[in-house]
Amino acid sequence: MLTIVIWAAGAALLLVNIILRTRILRLEARLRELSDPKEQLLYLRQQAANTNKVASIKALRKKYPELTLIDANKLWQQL
């Protein structure tokens, strides 16, 4: 009986985890849609004038946490 309860609790936690993960992924995708790449590029240009590449990308990702490192690097290459 205890085994069934443990299995049921584990299955419930797994379902909650899957539901929350999909919700987070949808919210992150929506956040990326709402952010303006031109604004990000302008901020990166301002940072690039003052610092080096790594520091500029770190500052960009700190201001826009929805950006991945790959996306931030692509923006840097557009400079």
Side-chain angles (χ1 to χ4, degrees), residues 3 6 13 19 35 50-51 54 60-61 73 77:
T3 306
I6 292 173
L13 288 174
I19 290 169
S35 61
N50 299 330
T51 58
V54 175
L60 178 71
R61 292 189 67 212
N73 198 17
Q77 290 172 357

Side-chain angles (χ1 to χ4, degrees), residues 31-76:
L31 187 59
R32 267 189 234 109
E33 289 174 7
L34 293 175
S35 61
D36 185 21
K38 291 179 185 176
E39 182 180 317
Q40 295 167 353
L41 194 58
L42 178 65
Y43 182 76
L44 186 59
R45 281 192 181 121
Q46 292 170 351
Q47 292 298 314
N50 299 330
T51 58
N52 62 2
K53 177 183 177 180
V54 175
S56 299
I57 289 177
K58 281 184 180 180
L60 178 71
R61 292 189 67 212
K62 188 172 184 178
K63 183 169 181 177
Y64 300 100
E66 70 273 10
L67 277 179
T68 63
L69 183 58
I70 294 171
D71 292 337
N73 198 17
K74 285 180 184 175
L75 281 173
W76 177 265

